Amino acid sequence: MERLHWLGQRCQQMVDQGGARGWYSAPDGPLGAGGCPATCRLSGKRRTVIARRGPYQAEYRAISREYQGNAIRTTKYSLLTFIPINLFQQFRRVANLYFLFLVLLNWVPAVEAFQKEITMVPLLVVLIAIAFKDALEDYRRYLFDKTVNHSLVRVYCSKQKAYIDQHWQDVRVGDFIRLSCNEIIPADVLLLYSSDPRGICYIETANLDGETNLKQRRVVSDLPLQGSELTPESFYCRIECENPNNDLGRFRGYMEHSSKVRVGLHNDNLLLRSCTVRNTQTVVGLVVYAGHETKAMKNNSGPRYKQSRLEKRLNRDVLWCVILLFSMCLTAAIGHGLWLQRWTDPIYSIAEQVSPTLAGFYVFWTMIIVLQVLIPISLYVSIEIVKLGQIYFIQNDLALYSEQLDSGIQCRALNITEDLGQIQYLFSDKTGTLTENKMVFQCCTIHGVQYPHTQNARRLALYEEDVAGVPGRSLTLRSGCSVRSLSCRSMSCGHSSTSLHSLTREEEEEEEEPQGGAPCSRMAKEVIPDPELLKKMSCLQATSLCGAEACCLQATSLCGAEASCLQATSLCGAEASCVQATSLCGAEASCVQATSLCGAEASCLQATSLCGAEASLELNSIVDFFLALAVCNSVVVSSSGRACHTHADLPHNLTSRLLAQGEAGPRGVSGALGAAGVQGEVGSSTTATPSQAGASRESTQLGPGTDLVRSNVALENPRDPTAVVLTDMGNREEGVGAVGAPNVGTEPLRVSSLEDPAFCHSGPTAANEQLIYEAESPDELALVHAARAYNCTLRGRSGDELAVELPGAAGRLHVRLLHVLPFDCTRRRMSVVVRHPLTGRLVLYTKGADSVIMELSEHPDVPAGEGYVKIREQTQNHLDVYARDGLRTLCIAQRVLEEDDYRAWQKGQLLAETSIENREELLLESAQRLETNLTLLGATGIVDRLQEEVPETIEALQRAGIKVWVLTGDKQETAVNIACACKLLGPDDQILNANCGSKDACDALLQDLLSEVRGTGEGPGRPTLGEDKALPAAAVGGFVLVIDGRTLEWALQDELKGGFLELSRQCKAVLCCRSTPLQKSQVVQLVRSQLSVMTLAIGDGANDVSMIQVADVGIGISGQEGMQAVMSSDFAISRFKHLRKLLLVHGHWCYSRLANMILYFFYKNVMYVNLLFWYQFISGFSGSVMTNSWILILFNLLFTSVPPLVYGVLDRHTPADTLMERPELYSSRPSSKVK
Amino acid sequence: MMASSYNAKEEDGHITVSGPGTLKSKKPDNTAFKQQRLPAWQPILTAGTVLPAFFVIGLLFIPIGIGLYVTSNNIKEFEIDYTGTEPSSPCYNCSVNFSWNSSRPCSCSLPFTLEQPFESNVFVYYGLSNFYQNHRRYVKSRDDSQLNGNVDSLKSPSKECEPYAHSDDKPIAPCGAIANSMFNDTLELFFMDPNGTRIQIPLTKRGIAWWTDKHVKFRNPGGDNPNLTSVFQGTSKPVNWHRPVSELDSDPENNGFVNEDFIVWMRTAALPTFRKLYRIVQKKSHLVPTLPSGNYTLEVVYNYPVRSFDGRKRMILSTISWMGGKNPFLGLAYITVGAVCFLLGVVLLVIHHKYGSRNNSADIPN
């Protein structure tokens, strides 16, 4: 029944999708036949997994027969099969087959040129050498497999009812395995239990894709066994998932409980083989894919094979050689026939009754054997060796090594080194390639008000200057005690010292240090808040404080005795808590305001007036804005150690003061709130209305007053000593004045206790606890840090819950993440649905590219009227300003959801999530359904510094005759700004803007621009850069085409691409803004195929992958954004500046070396063959050889092989420094010509 | 147990890059080889280097060439063609009436005159033209192990010798086409004294083969057995030969496979026109020239047919110098190269002098 229902659901879904690509083509198996899963298990596209040691033993045996075990065998041969398979492999190469043909030919008596055996020698030598190499490699693989297969893992054994050590190879699908921290996962495992109370497990996928940041995996949701470690015997669940595939980012399936409830399985639930468990003490999982069926093994492909242009050319040359060979042999054959006809029976002839024609025919084949040297069989082998040598030297170049990242260059494609020397077009990503991709929050605009963060900007400028001033970068590797989050939580609180990608982490470490006199040495994560905004924030605190005070007041007055007196006392209490805060701050100025606000009724009034109707909306926006920053991300928080070190004497400067205030402020507030909440509870028995009224009257921020306050208290960490104290106080109904007094007393105690290591475990009370944020994108990191500067601190993340600290609210709030709609390239935004911790309403926070958000927020749900339109306009203005300054902009928006709407949407989402086929599309659609009618909150400007030496590199590349295109997803203004900064755009250059809305307009525009370019240019095809290289680049203004994504889409269409290409050829550089990854690759493809030029694409992120793959040479920058670009690239470098030496020196060298080596090879062979050939004219075309046949046979193999190799690896065409100084030499090479 | 393994892993997994050199880093070694800084010499061709080079080559090569040319010219050489293709030739009859089977040898004599006396040792060669001793099949048609005295090969020659391996069901010794086509003319020189007497010039037949050939490659079967007839018992002579191999010479040291004429013949020539050493006229004393100028007669026993392939036969007398036989080519080549270089040097010097200073600034500084 359940099954039928489910099927019905599936069918419905399929109908919804238009019936396209349904997962099930037909109901599999007899449905009514008792619902035996065994009959339905193999529908070709999915697999069923049940526990091996579980209750369904018999069924398991039936199912798992086809599933592979976990033993892996990566060897290609076994002892028996080695010779036949290896020979077969080798003879798949045409060269070897040709050689074999020659050997066989020599066995024909009439044709035989040499002693039969001699011809075999080279072939045998080559075959044996390669076979030996293969055997050695295979043996190494065998040994490796053996060690892997014999690694130990704890597998559940039903006999002993415990986890026992077993070899990896004995693990089967359906086994339960238990892993500890830092253990490597032996197979693809479905996570069923984690020692982490939130059911989270962290893994590091460095073995898989090189990314060292931690990834969260979570236990299958709704698992009834969660909480206690599950007992495999009672695991009645059945898992259905898709068949093994190689998609690392996808895992779909569902788990069916014994109660026939289905739970969707996601990639999140799967622990992949060869990853490492981190930060989690114990995990238990069920093996779903084992051995070769794991995703890691399925992804195991060898190095990329790209054929270089030179090689293609070479193939043609070899073909010419063949033609030459045939013509030579034909000449000899004809010559021999004629020669034989001339004489009847010479004394030296061997009396055979062979007609001259037949003799000529025989001679033809003989000559093919004799002149075999012409076909350079060993050339291909030699080229491979030479390229290996070249790569060896490239990889060993110190200039391509980055000290900071401790990474040099990786050559992933082994055979296109010489293409580096012929690049004509370079396509570069902007973010992370030209820039550092170290995002630093610079400024923001909220609710239409800009907060310029001048101090912050100045700090950044200072920092930049410092970087420019000290080329060596003073902030390189510090003796590393930077904190790495890899340390297990179970470890003691000592700092595990490590730094793999040390820089980011060091920043974070430094952040915790007092900000001394030199802010420039600080890495950029620390944000100095804008005073204006800060004022508002503190006003917010004050307001809420006032609100709480009022609550407290009301409650107390309701409670009765000596009302007026109490009121005074309560005020005193509140005041006291503020005083306490002030005392903790250790300074006056910034807190004076707060104090004064808290101090008296007057100040409270002032606050209220400040936070009037209009202002309250703004304040709401501000809080929402920062909450969104803190919540709407995928940042992983790990607090390093237990933050045992606090600064006993807080330095007297602004930042630390702010920090201290951040620490003290909420604390004081929480105290008050706690008291209020408790007393409110007490008082609620009589009546809650007045308090509510009071709250709503005075506290605009807190909205539904006591309800919320109560929930806050409930949420608050019970271990928090302050709260406990307060609760006690409230319960005893003592004077409120007393509430304040002990509070004051506890503070110093707490501070001192923090220094006591024993107290470290008492809970995360210290505000300056070291938080380490790890994010997949640096933007998120910057935003979270920014939010933190405003006391909206993301404290932790555990599965569905986020721990957040908010100003104006009590301590740590736990925000339940109801839904996360992760970022993707199509939507260009990310959203989270949370229940607002203060208002309790359902809110969708969206963060994304400004264009997208602006569009979606045009008609907000909330009828905000003109004010909103104005705010939107202002925000847009600010965004434009930001973009002009070269900042990256992100917009933050929210949408308050109605419960019903949400529930309706949730249903759809669930459907989308559980569908296995078409899931992506459904999810996208579902996400788009939710992300509408947004209310704009504000926008942020993030600065991304240029990498060092980028302008110099670009200038050098341009001088080298390489056209540099920048393809970016950023705004046009940002892109232009960056282009200016990196000297892609000179001061004299003329910018051609191409923005238009329709195809026809685009056509016209392109024509216009083209005529403009032609009109001003000194002649057709003027900017061929090679011509004006004698002049400094800046003296001649060129044209720079700036085109945006939409226009690009038109321009890339068939009818217009001609014009676009023509125009872009005339331009010095092209900037494509707002381009999607697809467009990037289309542009590269267009230029590459239409202009038939050598292209290079360089990028660092996943959005550059397609471009990198399309280009002739793809270069990945191993930077901040994961490893996708590197994985798909041919070369991976760590900084953009390395491109200069890579192309100008190594490219040049490799190209000239290889080209000359090949010529050398042909030369020596042709020379030798000519010798043999002309000798035929004086030996009667009989195919005789004037040298010893050994010399002839070993000519290529032994006697002349080393010089070209040495030449190809070591020759320095021009000294490296000359090539670096004069990039023009690069373009002086004949374009891709070998001969 | 777990804890300890933890710690070990912890330390392994955490690569600290604190100080350079303290821990493993990926930094490449800074060595001259790895950084491609090995010393290298790269000539940059400028007028300053090219012009002197041309002049030096010219001035060096021309004297060498002249020296070689003079040496070559001092070598005396005399050549006489005795093929007898023209009816006027004394050997015409012999050449026309030739047949392999004729039992009676045909002789002819050719008179010739040496204008200059030949001093020192005089080498007598026979020369053949249009004889493709380098033909692939011909070159291979021999059995080296048989010639090396291997008895088994004597009895059963290698397949390479086909179709000259067997005749009348007996193995041929020496087998193969090379041996079969061995040059078998007999040449004798007579000095016609002005007073009318005919003096036979003594021709040494020993020492004309390579030492290694004579002593290493070629050996009679049966070791030192002097009775070659019995050694070669059961073998057949090559088809074209008049006598069996055991009767090539009366001297047992020069008979059988180690006969020097045979050995010389078996070393095949690379070109279709070649000469092979036939005899040596040993120098008698310092006072008398070996071959004084005057009239001579060449007596030929004409056995070797060449008309079928338009071949020519010659007899050559030559002296040698330190650089071998007469070869003016090398000297001429030296002189030509030297002269061309010198000329180029002059031309370039003029060009350089006239136009060289035009854009000095663009010159690559040397």
Side-chain angles (χ1 to χ4, degrees), chain A residues 1-4 7 28-41 46 48 50 56 59 63 238 240 254 256 260 262:
Chain A
M1 189 58 226
E2 189 67 34
R3 187 167 186 82
L4 276 172
L7 251 177
D28 33 30
L31 268 176
C36 167
T39 50
C40 343
R41 73 193 141 84
R46 60 187 177 131
T48 309
I50 52 177
Y56 309 113
E59 197 184 315
I63 290 178
R238 181 188 310 283
E240 300 255 339
Y254 61 86
E256 196 179 72
K260 301 280 178 197
R262 286 204 169 89

Side-chain angles (χ1 to χ4, degrees), chain A residues 382-439:
Chain A
S382 304
I383 287 176
E384 266 172 42
I385 296 172
V386 162
K387 282 181 175 171
L388 279 183
Q390 290 177 343
I391 277 171
Y392 172 81
F393 280 120
I394 291 178
Q395 280 183 333
N396 269 305
D397 193 344
L398 264 180
L400 302 181
Y401 169 78
S402 165
E403 196 104 31
Q404 300 152 29
L405 304 168
D406 186 39
S407 68
I409 179 170
Q410 293 174 42
C411 300
R412 297 175 45 81
L414 301 181
N415 47 1
I416 54 167
T417 48
E418 75 278 8
D419 278 357
L420 288 173
Q422 298 164 268
I423 302 300
Q424 289 157 288
Y425 277 76
L426 186 144
F427 299 90
S428 171
D429 175 41
K430 185 180 76 65
T431 312
T433 307
L434 300 177
T435 61
E436 290 265 22
N437 205 8
K438 297 241 171 75
M439 303 297 170

Side-chain angles (χ1 to χ4, degrees), chain B residues 110-315:
Chain B
L110 292 94
F112 64 94
T113 310
L114 290 182
E115 306 289 336
Q116 287 172 317
F118 280 44
E119 271 117 20
S120 178
N121 286 349
V122 178
F123 293 80
V124 182
Y125 300 91
Y126 59 87
L128 292 173
S129 293
N130 225 356
F131 190 100
Y132 284 85
Q133 230 190 354
N134 56 15
H135 189 281
R136 180 171 58 88
R137 305 293 303 275
Y138 182 83
V139 169
K140 282 199 304 185
S141 183
R142 60 193 283 166
D143 185 347
D144 279 322
S145 77
Q146 189 192 46
L147 296 174
N148 201 23
N150 189 316
V151 184
D152 292 337
S153 299
L154 187 72
K155 300 297 177 207
S156 53
S158 108
K159 265 194 186 146
E160 303 283 349
C161 285
E162 295 289 352
Y164 303 106
H166 294 273
S167 87
D168 311 332
D169 293 335
K170 279 196 279 185
I172 294 177
C175 73
I178 309 177
N180 188 45
S181 62
M182 183 178 156
F183 182 77
N184 56 0
D185 282 359
T186 313
L187 305 176
E188 282 175 321
L189 281 176
F190 293 94
F191 177 60
M192 309 307 277
D193 214 11
N195 54 24
T197 47
R198 219 167 91 118
I199 307 164
Q200 182 164 20
I201 294 170
L203 302 174
T204 316
K205 58 170 89 169
R206 303 291 298 271
I208 55 173
W210 290 22
W211 188 91
T212 45
D213 282 1
K214 170 107 181 165
H215 294 97
V216 179
K217 276 184 82 177
F218 289 80
R219 230 177 274 158
N220 278 324
D224 295 332
N225 187 349
N227 189 357
L228 288 179
T229 325
S230 67
V231 168
F232 287 104
Q233 192 69 46
T235 63
S236 168
K237 70 175 173 65
V239 186
N240 289 348
W241 285 22
H242 296 292
R243 288 167 294 175
V245 67
S246 54
E247 293 166 25
L248 282 177
D249 199 49
S250 52
D251 182 1
E253 287 293 302
N254 195 26
N255 202 2
F257 290 157
V258 291
N259 178 274
E260 292 199 19
D261 284 330
F262 174 66
I263 292 172
V264 166
W265 180 254
M266 291 304 285
R267 184 162 279 276
T268 53
L271 303 179
T273 298
F274 60 91
R275 58 172 71 165
K276 283 186 182 291
L277 190 55
Y278 183 63
R279 295 290 183 264
I280 302 170
V281 185
Q282 296 285 355
K283 178 173 74 172
K284 280 165 256 163
S285 72
H286 289 289
L287 304 172
V288 193
T290 321
L291 291 179
S293 58
N295 292 326
Y296 290 82
T297 307
L298 171 66
E299 290 283 344
V300 180
V301 180
Y302 202 106
N303 290 326
Y304 205 68
V306 291
R307 282 182 74 105
S308 64
F309 54 92
D310 289 349
R312 312 286 295 181
K313 297 198 283 191
R314 288 158 297 144
M315 192 280 302

Side-chain angles (χ1 to χ4, degrees), chain A residues 697-741:
Chain A
R697 178 167 47 85
E698 297 213 39
S699 153
T700 43
Q701 159 61 27
L702 283 182
T706 35
D707 279 351
L708 172 79
V709 170
R710 200 177 300 139
S711 69
N712 278 346
V713 172
L715 279 168
E716 203 161 31
N717 194 334
R719 281 180 296 171
D720 191 323
T722 328
V724 174
V725 167
L726 283 169
T727 318
D728 285 352
M729 292 296 159
N731 279 342
R732 271 186 269 133
E733 287 191 41
E734 288 189 5
V736 188
V739 176

Side-chain angles (χ1 to χ4, degrees), chain A residues 485-503:
Chain A
S485 60
L486 292 187
S487 62
C488 282
R489 283 175 196 282
S490 59
M491 299 284 295
S492 68
C493 66
H495 293 254
S496 51
S497 63
T498 178
S499 63
L500 284 182
H501 290 289
S502 47
L503 270 188

Side-chain angles (χ1 to χ4, degrees), chain A residues 1021-1072:
Chain A
R1022 188 201 61 84
T1024 37
L1025 268 151
E1027 293 165 20
D1028 55 21
K1029 63 186 165 202
L1031 301 163
V1036 187
F1039 290 97
V1040 174
L1041 178 67
V1042 180
I1043 188 164
D1044 72 348
R1046 204 153 37 139
T1047 318
L1048 195 60
E1049 205 175 318
W1050 303 118
L1052 286 175
Q1053 287 180 356
D1054 279 339
E1055 303 93 81
L1056 299 186
K1057 66 183 180 190
F1060 172 60
L1061 270 181
E1062 187 59 35
L1063 179 61
S1064 55
R1065 272 174 71 182
Q1066 307 281 329
C1067 292
K1068 193 176 121 189
V1070 177
L1071 280 175
C1072 301

